[in-house]
Amino acid sequence: MYPSWTPHEAAIIFSALIPAFPLGAAIVLALLGAKWFKKSSHVPAIIGVSLSFFIALKLLLMFQFGQLAAPNATYIQSDLWTWIGAGGFKASVGIFLDPLSCLFAAFVTGISLLIFIYSSGYMEGDYGYFRFFAYMSLFVFFMTTLVLANNFLLVYLGWEGVGLASYLLIGYYYPRPAARDAATKAFITNRVGDTCFAIAVLMIYLTFHSLKFSHVFYGSLQSPAFRAAHRTVLFWIPLLLMFGAFAKSAQFPLHVWLPDAMEGPTPVSALIHAATMVTAGVYLIARCLPLFLHDLPVLHLVGLIGCFTAFMAATIAMCQYDMKRIWAYSTISQLGYMFLGLGVATGTGAVFHVFTHAFFKALLFLATGSVMHAMGGELDIRKMSGLRKKMPITAICILMGCLALSGFPGWSGFFSKDDILSAAMNSTWRFGPWLAVVGLLTALITAYYTFRVFFRVFTGELILPATAGQHESSPFFPPGDLPGGEHAVNHGRPAAGDAAKDRHAPAKKPRSLDGAPAMWLPLIVLAIGATFAGYLGVFGSHAPGGWIGGFLGRVPLNGTIRYVPTPPAGLPQPVGGHVNPILIMIIGAALAVLGVLIAAYFHRINRQAAAKVAVVLRPLVHFLENKWYIDELYHYTLVRPLRFSGYILSLMDRFIVDGLVFVIGFIPQLAGFTIKPTESGRLRYYGIGMVAGVAVVLLGVLYLLR
Amino acid sequence: MDYTLILATALGAISLYLMLPRGRAALVKLGALIGVLALGAGLLGWFHWTAQEQAVHYPGPPAIFFYIFAAIALASAAGVVCHPRPLYAALYFVLLTLAAAALFLLLRAEFIAVVLIIIYAGAILVTYVFVIMLASPGGEIPAADYDRISADPLAAVLVSFLLLGTILQMMSYGQAALAHGPGAVPAAGPAGFGGMGMLGANLYSHYALPLELAGVLLTVSLVGAVMIARKNEPPVRMLDSGEIPAE
Amino acid sequence: MNINLQGLCPEIIMLSAAALVLLVGLCPRDGVRRSSQWIAAISLVLAFIAAWNLGPIGDGRHWTLWPLATYDSLLASGIGLLTVLASWDMPFLDDPAQSDKAYRGEFFAMLLCSLAGLSMMAKVNDLIWLFLALELVSIPTYIMVAAGRGNAAAQEAGVKYFFLGALSAAIYLFGFSYLYGFAGSTRFTAIAAAFHSALAGGHLPYVALIGLLMVVIGISYKIAAVPLHYYAPDVYQGAATPVTAFLSFTPKAAGFFALIIVFNLTGWKLSGPGAPGHVLPDLLMVLAVLTMFIGNVLALLQRNIKRLLAYSSIANSGYMLVGLAVGPVRPAGSAINGLSATLFYLGAYSLMTVGAFAALIYLQGKTDAAEDLDDIAGVAGEHPLAAASMAVCLFSLIGMPGTVGFLGKLFIIQAALAANHPLLAVLVVINAAIAAAYYLRIVAAMYLRDAWTPFTVRRSLAPPFAAALATVLVIFFGIFPAQLFQQSSASGQVVPTAVISHKPAPVPLAAARPPAYPQ
Amino acid sequence: MSNPVLYRYLALGAALFAVGLVGFLTRRNMIMIFLSTEIMFQGIAINLIAFSCYHQNAAGQSFVIFLLTIAAAEASLALGLVVMLFRRRETLNVDAWSDMQG
């Protein structure tokens, strides 16, 4: 098959092609999109990402069947080309292939492929269609670069690039001020993390004199003498990496940008939340676990903040009404779980959760996009009900997604969440079990708010918002300002008219509101994934953690540090306690079912009962008042406190955390205002400033040298 | 620390501060008085230094000439800075140039002294005076407001004399610095030192390239002056002033 | 001063072209006068070729820093060509109020003279020559600022630039006089020898110290560094945009080359424990940090793009000063030292800033050249290429990976770390983060806002060509930095002049030869 | 052997430089501002000549020649500038040219 290449070389060349195809698609679209492709702009993008996906899949299979490496070589890494070479300092463009990067590459490209296909239906006829796909391809390019890089500098390139692409995509509907603000907010917040990451990279270079993963993780780090000599640095590096990861993965206190990021088109949200942006942080920490394992306080901090973020975001999600916003908070919450998993040193569990989460969160966002598409942009769950009848496919798909997200037994989220929680419960870390308890409580809340949405929107009697069936008004062409007029906005944009006409033309009346096949086919694929992906973590291997666990864990790196789940002796083991995992599984299942039942009661059963009471059984008010008391009891004992805490936390979110970000942006400005008067505009004051500067410098030197 | 130097610097600062135009004559006189004191303090300081070096006898003109011309130079510099009427200030500058030329003669730079008088006093200052006259169409008698009251005298005097004090202080610390220098004592050079021949030979042997560059620069500034000052209207006659130094 | 004129070939080409352009500019026929920019451009191409082909010439004594001199000439003619293209049609030339279009020749002659001054900066071997070269860079820029356009802002900029420039010249001349007094000669070899023997004797005389300090601070006017940075925003804002583009490159580059050769006189022996002048590098670091912070922090408050870029230029001087303060200290095996990082950054910065200004020149605002953020709002819709090249240059200034600006910052940080100044590196990173905010505002204005009015663009194709060329180079050098890196790193391996004065044999030239680019 | 004769000339040069600075910073008349820089140049020239005499070589004197040349060139430029500015605002007050700030 590869005439002159060994499988090893073939793998390197193939994996270099994974980022190359999306990049090519982005360049082609940027150059030719406006003139040639126009409405078929999705074609190169989909071709590019599907090629990447197939290659990634092929690599995955090669790894799985041991075609790639001798038993001892656990990773493949090679420099393709030296980017910056300067004596001792060398940064190269290179590939690092191991099960972790391979798995990430496969699901990133796979989920992206589905999202791209969906987008071709969802964004059809939108203004700047080619621009959208160019940015999306760029996004995938940077993400795959990040995942496949073999050194920190290249990871940094991907890291910044992902930020840039997200900035462009979140601000895609730039005529909306909210979109612009959200884009800026995302970029600035990420910039805080980027700065931390950059400093961490510097410190890594200073400490290890190399930026290559193979040198950093498996070189001198293994020697206790080296670790003892660099204690402080080895504390700061993981800490800074942690902040970098927190910004990208939206963890407290740097999570503020993610809920706002839904200002971009819905497929962008799906891409950000499921496949690309937010998983980068998890990838980074999972990749750098060897560094973290040597500094437990930082690792525990990761777990602690992850756990707190999971709980906080879940309670906030309970009191939101906007569907996308609920899913955004749920993403933050689920990412919290992943960091909780990393914090108790179960990299496998965290990556497993990333993997399943990618399916169901993409599914939920895309299905929500379908709802939004059908409802004319309306997303308020109070304004719609019973959509099951109008959108059967979407409803079934979203049910699968909700079951997976809520951790309902049998669906994918159940297994991956359980992995993390049982690892936490059995952690050697004293507080691990407490985090697990909070995680279980969060699971209950998760099940509740997930099904609150489902029951509200898809069950019950059919209620449609006023905008249903219309097309969402394009932000580029506000109503009443249709193209063809002489308004300045459209000046010199000849192509815009056609696009807008298409968008507003009366479409053929569909039987259901599920949308084009391009939209519901990916949903079905994702629903299947969301349902069954979890079994990969149970079956398929004799190792604990099923196929995933076996795949990720089968490779002892360098013979000394195994990639998690089993670090060598002396390091924290993910399993140290004696709580039976089956027990946790049962508790988790019970809590998930309980959450679903509570949601069903409040948002399905009671809703109908209340309606009946109101209409038919007027004399039985007294009796029903008892019911209502119970309702109140529930309300006040369970829902209210949680809602209240959610409210408090969302207030905190709004004021304190936003305030923090504001302060970070504000201090330089304040400093600017303080020294602004020095630029007085008067020649004389400039001269005085200059002479004073000279005098002060001379005086200082005189003083210091004397 | 050399306290006489600090005293002299401080007195000089006060004196200049008082003399800066503020529309009050009494202060100017007080300032001039303090200025004399400052010069005296400076003189004391130098005597003090010189006293440490009794053993060495320097040939050349007696130090009194230096003190006289230095005092004239400083006083006329203060006059340039402080006089509210630009024309008088320009004339003070001529005086400063003459004093400087005299000092150059003491230092055996005869040719430079002559050049200074010819170019500065003779050519540049004349153009200055032209421009001053041009810009004061109502005659010179009432000085403009912006000349009669100086701006920010305190800050300006403070920073300038802070710089001066620092430099003088550094030099007083570093008195021994040039002891290892290659030079001889002043004013004992070979015959012809400072003359036109020596300078010309030096210029055209060692500094031929800078000389060419100076020509380029003069051309550039000439063209530039014309370019800046010309308007679409018929050129104003006065602009040709830029040509004079080019010769 | 036995000058081998062959070594001055690029400068001679430029100055001859300047004379020719002056003559052409006098011609009454407009068509002939229009050839002046062609002459300027062609002469710069020739100068570039000449600089490229000139190897070390002469006995090795006069061309002490040959790779540096080559890099200087290449930069002067290369980036100079971009600035000529950017100012192909000066705004005032098309101003109907200016019926007399006679300034074209003069303008390009000034530009060429200034570039010639820059180009000879690193070949200077004498204080007097250094003084004249600095003035040759400055005086034409004074003229260009004051006469670049006819409005009051340009005149105000001219006043401030000229008078403060004269003040700074007085400051560094004062320093020159002390350096001369210290060494007893204006020759660099003699001054370097004096420094060498003084430092070897373990003391740095105050005469030398005063001279060095005044020279360094006086020259920092050219690079707009604290404490002589005040003029930059006003002057950049007031000058015609092509002149601003020129200002952001030529005096700055000249200042850095001058600073390098001045520090080279000291043999870079000032730092280190117990060195007599050990505070000077620390002082330079403090100034560098102040420069970065003041530039970035004040840029945050600006709405005028030229003013914003002026503050950004101050901040970028700060980054480069970091490299200069670190000096040529070089850990074993590393080809990066502070100097080569500074020189690389200088090349990178010149490309980015001239590219950004060229894009700005191409875009016309409502009345005048685009200046305010509102003037370029939504420009991406109508002029995607101009907006893209501006955006690429700005992202490069931010330090986005994949652009040359990223590598520039990386090398600076790298050099600071290698010389064991981690705090300095961290401060650079923090400043880069602050800077992102204001560069991004320009990008946001172009891409995320709607146009207010239709745009007009300049007729001439040269400015957009310059912008496109700069953009391509920004990306090219960001991905394949080898050539630029090789030049700058070879130039950064300075041989202290004192060593040369002791060994006039071609040994130092061999030592200064560019190292093989490590693969 | 230190050299008081040299130092007193240097002190005079520095003092002239400082007085020129004061003039530069306090005068508002543009012509006077430039005249103040000329005072500073005089101070520098005295430094150079003193050093030239001290070292007994002509470099310092040659430097002064160039100094005077450049001073003259700058003076021509300054006067051209002043004329242009005066024509526009009918004043020599430099504070009239302080619109840009911040």
Side-chain angles (χ1 to χ4, degrees), chain B residues 56-197:
Chain B
V56 186
H57 171 69
Y58 296 107
I64 187 70
F65 288 115
F66 167 78
Y67 291 114
I68 290 172
F69 289 119
I72 294 176
L74 280 175
S76 52
V80 179
V81 168
C82 299
H83 205 284
R85 292 185 188 164
L87 194 62
Y88 287 80
L91 293 178
Y92 271 120
F93 190 81
V94 175
L95 189 57
L96 167 63
T97 313
L98 293 176
L103 288 166
F104 289 176
L105 281 178
L106 292 182
L107 289 167
R108 300 210 43 190
E110 291 102 9
F111 180 67
I112 305 286
V114 173
V115 163
L116 199 66
I117 291 173
I118 293 176
I119 293 184
Y120 257 81
I124 299 183
L125 256 297
V126 172
T127 54
Y128 269 103
V129 171
F130 267 132
V131 177
I132 291 168
M133 300 291 265
L134 171 84
S136 323
E140 192 53 28
I141 308 304
D145 276 347
Y146 51 79
D147 276 326
R148 265 190 291 144
I149 297 166
S150 61
D152 294 300
L154 188 61
V157 168
L158 272 183
V159 294
S160 306
F161 278 78
L162 187 65
L163 181 61
L164 173 64
T166 314
I167 290 173
L168 289 180
Q169 206 60 46
M170 279 185 163
M171 277 163 33
S172 82
Y173 286 145
Q175 267 201 75
L178 281 182
H180 309 287
V185 291
F193 182 78
M196 200 189 286

Side-chain angles (χ1 to χ4, degrees), chain A residues 81-91 127 131 135 142 153 156-158 160-161 164 167-168 171-172 174-175 179-180 183-184 187-188 191 194-196 198-199 202-203 205-206 488-489 491-493 665 667-676 678-683 685-694 697-698 701-702 704-706, chain C residues 156 159-160 163-164 167-168 171 206 209-210 213-214 217 221 227-231 233-234 276-280 283 287 294 297-298 300-301 307 311 333-336 378 381-382 395 398 400-402 406-407 410-411 413-414 417 422 425-426 429-430 432-434 436-437 440 443-444 447-452 454 478-481 485 517-519:
Chain A
W81 138 71
T82 303
W83 183 25
I84 308 156
F89 179 77
K90 190 172 153 198
Y127 170 67
R131 196 162 58 94
Y135 291 167
F142 280 125
L153 204 66
Y156 185 72
L157 179 133
E160 287 268 9
L164 169 67
Y167 172 76
L168 293 170
Y172 181 77
Y174 58 77
R180 295 200 302 265
T184 310
F187 197 87
I188 299 287
R191 197 74 197 170
D194 291 351
T195 308
C196 293
I199 296 174
L202 293 180
M203 292 171 80
Y205 178 71
L206 274 188
V489 174
H491 180 83
R493 288 171 181 160
I667 286 173
Q669 293 223 359
L670 191 71
F673 276 111
T674 324
I675 56 176
K676 195 176 177 179
T678 59
E679 291 290 339
S680 56
R682 299 246 162 162
L683 176 75
Y685 295 138
Y686 292 176
I688 289 177
M690 285 163 64
V691 178
V694 180
V697 167
L698 281 179
V701 170
L702 177 66
L704 288 174
L705 282 185
R706 191 65 194 163
Chain C
E156 180 182 339
V159 173
K160 288 177 178 167
F163 281 117
L164 295 175
L167 179 60
S168 81
I171 292 172
Y206 278 95
L209 191 64
I210 295 171
L213 282 173
M214 297 284 266
I217 299 175
Y221 181 82
L228 266 62
H229 64 284
Y230 297 97
Y231 74 96
D234 291 356
H278 60 88
V279 290
L280 286 188
L283 177 90
L287 290 184
I294 287 181
V297 152
L298 281 174
L300 284 176
L301 309 178
R307 200 171 179 83
Y311 281 114
S334 170
I336 298 180
E382 283 180 40
F395 277 122
I398 289 179
M400 206 49 106
F406 170 71
L407 297 180
L410 187 78
F411 290 151
I413 290 164
Q414 171 80 23
L417 289 178
V426 169
V429 172
I430 290 174
I434 297 176
L440 209 63
V443 179
Y447 279 87
L448 303 183
R449 276 173 61 183
D450 277 321
W452 286 18
I479 300 173
F480 307 102
F485 178 80
Y517 186 70
Q519 286 305 316

